[in-house]
Amino acid sequence: MNKFDIEKFNDKNKTKAVNMLLSFMDIEVREHMVSDIVYFLNNASLGEELELTDHFVIKKSDFEVIILNETNEIFAQNPEDSRVYIEITSLLFLINQKMSYGLNQVKSILKLK
């Protein structure tokens, strides 16, 4: 069974990234959009982008994607502070948890209150 390793995530990302990931899960991971996101994660070519409502997902490698927030990329002084680098299997796990159990389950996994 796949799971999410919060320590590994924190080691790879800056402090604001966890909130960006939660924002992505809240805004983008909805019943009518999940199949498009999952298809992209499994089938996109390297460097390909998926433009969503407020976020972009870029396939960095066969195993990892970057999640960006459009507003942060334009207006933030340090947009790299909130970019999310996440393994595809971990993101798929979190999407499954959100769709099965709701956003509070994702907050719990991310150790947010």
Side-chain angles (χ1 to χ4, degrees):
M1 174 175 174
N2 292 329
K3 63 180 200 162
F4 182 79
D5 185 341
I6 188 69
E7 287 79 22
K8 187 175 183 181
F9 178 83
N10 287 334
D11 287 345
K12 190 162 203 146
N13 290 281
K14 301 208 176 174
T15 56
K16 295 180 183 177
V18 71
N19 291 320
M20 172 69 74
L21 180 56
L22 185 63
S23 169
F24 172 82
M25 298 301 293
D26 184 31
I27 295 169
E28 311 296 359
V29 179
R30 306 218 173 238
E31 192 169 331
H32 66 282
M33 299 169 79
V34 167
S35 60
D36 291 341
I37 295 169
V38 170
Y39 182 84
F40 174 83
L41 294 173
N42 288 317
N43 298 298
S45 301
L46 300 184
E48 192 171 339
E49 293 182 14
L50 175 64
E51 184 175 350
L52 300 164
T53 306
D54 287 333
H55 298 83
F56 289 92
V57 181
I58 302 171
K59 191 155 187 184
K60 179 93 171 142
S61 71
D62 288 335
F63 309 102
E64 184 179 58
V65 294
I66 303 171
I67 300 172
L68 311 168
N69 177 282
E70 182 175 18
T71 304
N72 280 358
E73 292 298 311
I74 295 170
F75 297 110
Q77 279 188 322
N78 298 311
E80 61 278 354
D81 288 351
S82 54
R83 291 178 184 157
V84 175
Y85 295 84
I86 187 168
E87 291 179 351
I88 293 170
T89 55
S90 295
L91 184 54
L92 289 169
F93 172 78
L94 290 175
I95 290 170
N96 181 51
Q97 294 297 296
K98 158 100 189 294
M99 296 310 296
S100 299
Y101 305 108
L103 190 61
N104 284 337
Q105 175 68 12
V106 174
K107 286 180 181 179
S108 176
I109 293 167
L110 297 176
K111 301 187 188 290
L112 296 172
K113 296 186 185 216

